[in-house]
Each structure stands twice: as C-alpha cells, then as structure tokens.
Amino acid sequence: MTAQDATTAPGTPTAPDSPAPPAGDRPAPPARSRAAALGGWALTIGLNVAAPILTYNALRDHGWSEFAALLASGAWPVLDSAVHLAWRRRFDEFAVVTLVFLVITAVVSVVGPRSALSLLIKDSAVTGLFGLLCLVTLLAPRPLMFYFGRKFATDGTAASTAWWNGLWEYAGFRTTLRTMTTVWGVAYCLEAGVRIALACTLSTDTMVTLSPVLIYGVLGALALWTAAYGKRARRKGEQHAAAMTAAQA
C-alpha cells in the first residue's frame, strides 16, 4: 500500500466516526524516489535470489556437499539485511523482526540433522513462522503490517513517521492493515507447507532454484494484491467522502 493509498483508505480521513482534519494539521505524504526504490529491489533480488543460486552451483561444482553449499549460499540474505540496516541507520521494529528471523534461521541451520533436506525444511518452516507471527500480531495493539507499511511508505524522517503513526486513529486505516496482516499471514503459512512438501519430493538441486522463486513469487503476488487492495480502499474512501459531502449539503 502506498502512502497516497493510506491517506484515503476507508475511514482515512473521512470516516463517519472521525471528522476530517484540516490538511495543515498533519504532514503531507513523503516524496518517494523511484530510482532509490528500484535500486533497493534490485539489490534485494540480487542478494536473495541470484547470488544464492550462483553460489550453490559454483560450490557444488568445486566438490562441496549439498548441505555445505546450501548453508554457505544462505549468507547472501544475511548480507542483504545488513546492507538495508546500514542504509536506514536506525533500529526500528522492522529491523528487530528481521534480526530475530536471522537469528532463528542461523540457529535452525546448525541444530538438528545436518542434511540438505533438513536445511530446506527448516528454511521453509521459518517463513511459516513469519506467517504465524503475522496472525499472532492481530491480537496486539497494532498488527505487523503497520510496521512494515511504515518502513516502505515513509522515508524514515520524523515528519513522515509521525504522519503514518497518526493515521492509526482512523477506523478504516486500522481495518485495512489488519486485513493485509491476515492475508499475508495465511499466505505464508500455506507457502511454507507447499515448500516443505516439495522439499520432500524434489531433488535438492531443483529446490535450490525453485525455493527462492516460490518465496519471491509469493512476495510479488502479495505485493500486487496489497497495491490493488490499497487502491480499492482509496476509491471507497473517496466515494464515502463524496457521499458525506452531498449529505451535508
């Protein structure tokens, strides 16, 4: 969901239970750099998809075992998280979640049976754990997608962060983010189940290529759905605002 979508989601800022605040009472949505966004996605895809596959195949060609090559190729996603953390230069809730999952991934990679199959299953279980975390945070004051949205819909400045935090007072904004959190949670739980089943069926070489495709395929599908859902929410908000204006007139 983009910053512009968030401002006009149902209930934001024209919810019937909350009067619309004057435009000057809150910061405007932050300007977004398309070049920076594309660069970030290129870096993410390169370090999380291309680099692990190339590293695994190169190490296998040099006689490494499947387990050792798979474990070594997993260093690239760790580097990606470190680069983004250094880029942002601050430790927010998103960074905490990323660090926790990096620690969990590292622990499960070295604990238990040391085989390529077990490593693939553990890796899939971690994404399933992310899905469960999404669903569990629905019981918290703010769901996980609130913090993810704040990372990607703002530029990290105090003004844009305050703008995003202020949107939480609107019922429609809360409903939108809780719906997104639910969809992401269910999707990643299902994705983990599918990848575990495939890991038990297909060869390791096939899964090394297929696994990141599944991970980022699901991520891409969820991103497209999120954008479409945000736009639909904006249209509903605009229609509701028009209806309220007509009724008041």
Side-chain angles (χ1 to χ4, degrees), residues 42-157:
L43 181 65
T44 296
I45 294 174
L47 293 179
N48 288 274
V49 180
I53 293 174
L54 294 175
T55 300
Y56 174 84
N57 291 328
L59 294 178
R60 289 287 287 148
D61 290 341
H62 283 77
W64 287 47
S65 67
E66 290 181 341
F67 176 81
L70 197 60
L71 189 61
S73 64
W76 291 108
V78 176
L79 177 61
D80 174 62
S81 298
V83 168
H84 281 282
L85 184 59
W87 196 348
R88 284 281 180 168
R89 294 185 179 180
R90 67 189 185 90
F91 211 63
D92 56 12
E93 294 86 352
F94 183 89
V96 171
V97 172
T98 300
L99 179 61
V100 168
F101 274 91
L102 286 176
V103 172
I104 292 175
T105 302
V107 171
V108 301
S109 296
V110 298
V111 174
R114 297 202 171 189
S115 67
L117 176 61
S118 66
L119 195 59
L120 288 170
I121 292 176
K122 291 173 184 178
D123 183 57
S124 302
V126 170
T127 61
L129 183 60
F130 172 77
L132 289 176
L133 177 63
C134 287
L135 299 178
V136 169
T137 60
L138 292 171
L139 304 176
R142 298 183 182 185
L144 189 60
M145 285 301 113
F146 172 84
Y147 302 104
F148 277 44
R150 188 171 67 186
K151 174 180 174 63
F152 294 106
T154 72
D155 56 7
T157 62

Side-chain angles (χ1 to χ4, degrees), residues 2 34 67 91 152 180 211 218-220:
T2 64
R34 177 170 297 183
F67 176 81
F91 211 63
F152 294 106
M180 289 179 176
S211 186
V218 170
L219 176 60

Side-chain angles (χ1 to χ4, degrees), residues 6-30:
T7 59
T8 50
T12 58
T14 55
D17 55 348
S18 301
D25 289 354
R26 57 181 173 81

